C-alpha cells in the first residue's frame, strides 16, 4: 500500500486562519496556500498507509477531554537556528505540549523524536528572504486572536506538497465543541494524568 506523509495539528479557525494564510502569502512564502494555518502537534512523519486505522484509533484515545482556550499574540522567530517567523501561542501552550506528547507516545504508532524542543506556534514565514521575514515579524507584531479549541486534525501531504485534512478528532470523541469552519480545532484526554483544560 506504500507510505504516506502525515501531520497532526490544531487548525486556526476562521476568520483567523485565512487571514494569516493570506499574510503568509503576501510575505512571499510559496508554501502559504499548501499548508492550512495551524499549531503543529506532530511534524511531517512517514507512516505505512496500512497503519492508518491504528493511527486513527490512537488519536481517538487522545480526543476524549475538554475544549480549552487558545490565544495568539505578537510574533517570535527561531532565527538564526531555523528560518521561521511565527505568531506566538500565549494561552493554550501547555495543553498543546501535553497533546503532542500523547500523539508521539511510545505506546502508539506515531513514535518519533523531534529535531528541536517542542514550542507551539503558528508559522507565518519560513525559508524566505531575511528582509521578508523581518517584514512578517514587524507587521504582525500586534496581531491578536482567541478562540476555544475543540478538536485537532490528521493531515496527509500529497505529491503536490499540499496538506489535506483526512479527519477531525473533536473533544469528547465527537461530542460537544462546535465545528470550526474549513480549518479545524483541538483536543485532550480526560484522564487523571491530563492537565486541567477547562477555562
Amino acid at each position: 500500500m506504500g507510505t504516506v506523509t502525515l501531520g497532526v495539528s490544531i487548525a486556526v479557525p476562521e476568520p483567523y486562519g485565512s487571514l494569516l494564510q493570506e499574510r503568509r502569502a503576501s510575505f512571499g512564502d510559496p508554501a502559504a496556500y499548501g499548508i492550512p494555518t495551524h499549531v503543529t502537534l506532530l511534524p511531517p512523519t512517514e507512516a505505512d498507509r496500512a497503519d492508518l486505522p491504528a493511527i486513527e484509533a490512537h488519536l481517538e484515545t487522545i480526543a476524549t477531554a475538554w475544549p480549552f482556550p487558545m490565544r495568539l499574540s505578537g510574533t517570535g522567530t527561531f532565527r538564526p537556528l531555523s528560518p521561521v517567523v511565527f505568531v506566538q501561542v500565549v494561552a493554550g501552550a501547555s495543553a498543546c505540549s501535553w497533546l503532542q506528547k500523547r500523539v508521539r507516545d511510545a505506546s502508539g504508532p506515531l513514535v518519533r523524536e523531534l529535531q528541536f524542543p517542542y514550542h507551539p506556534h503558528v508559522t507565518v514565514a519560513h525559508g524566505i528572504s531575511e528582509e521578508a521575514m523581518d517584514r512578517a515579524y514587524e507587521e504582525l507584531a500586534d496581531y491578536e486572536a482567541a478562540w476555544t479549541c475543540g478538536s485537532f486534525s490528521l493531515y496527509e501531504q500529497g505529491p503536490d506538497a499540499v496538506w489535506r485534512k483526512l479527519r477531525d478528532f473533536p473533544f469528547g470523541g465527537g461530542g460537544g465543541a462546535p465545528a470550526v469552519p474549513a480549518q479545524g480545532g483541538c483536543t485532550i484526554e480526560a484522564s487523571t494524568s491530563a492537565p486541567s483544560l477547562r477555562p
Side-chain angles (χ1 to χ4, degrees):
M1 292 180 72
T3 61
V4 290
T5 301
L6 302 176
V8 178
S9 64
I10 296 166
V12 175
E14 301 299 348
Y16 315 121
S18 290
L19 184 148
L20 288 176
Q21 191 174 52
E22 289 165 9
R23 294 308 306 273
R24 183 169 179 172
S26 77
F27 301 132
D29 190 328
Y33 291 119
I35 305 174
T37 308
H38 68 282
V39 176
T40 297
L41 298 178
L42 178 76
T45 300
E46 293 293 316
D48 289 335
R49 188 173 291 277
D51 290 339
L52 274 172
I55 289 168
E56 291 190 17
H58 169 63
L59 296 176
E60 284 174 356
T61 68
I62 301 168
T64 55
W66 312 106
F68 60 87
M70 291 277 288
R71 186 164 71 87
L72 309 179
S73 181
T75 49
T77 183
F78 294 133
R79 294 182 291 173
L81 193 61
S82 182
V84 173
V85 171
F86 56 85
V87 172
Q88 299 187 76
V89 175
V90 297
S94 61
C96 292
S97 182
W98 185 86
L99 275 173
Q100 64 88 26
K101 287 179 186 174
R102 294 297 308 277
V103 169
R104 296 185 299 106
D105 190 83
S107 66
L110 293 171
V111 180
R112 66 160 291 169
E113 294 297 318
L114 299 180
Q115 184 179 3
F116 302 107
Y118 182 72
H119 181 88
H121 64 279
V122 177
T123 297
V124 290
H126 180 213
I128 56 177
S129 73
E130 289 294 322
E131 181 182 1
M133 286 195 286
D134 288 343
R135 190 160 64 89
Y137 187 89
E138 293 162 7
E139 291 185 11
L140 291 171
D142 295 327
Y143 184 80
E144 298 276 345
W147 71 95
T148 298
C149 182
S151 68
F152 61 77
S153 303
L154 175 66
Y155 291 84
E156 178 181 350
Q157 187 180 39
D160 56 0
V162 174
W163 288 90
R164 295 175 176 88
K165 183 166 36 176
L166 296 179
R167 183 175 163 191
D168 286 324
F169 293 85
F171 278 115
V180 177
Q183 297 251 337
C186 169
T187 303
I188 285 198
E189 179 177 275
S191 73
T192 55
S193 60
S196 175
L197 301 173
R198 292 186 175 183

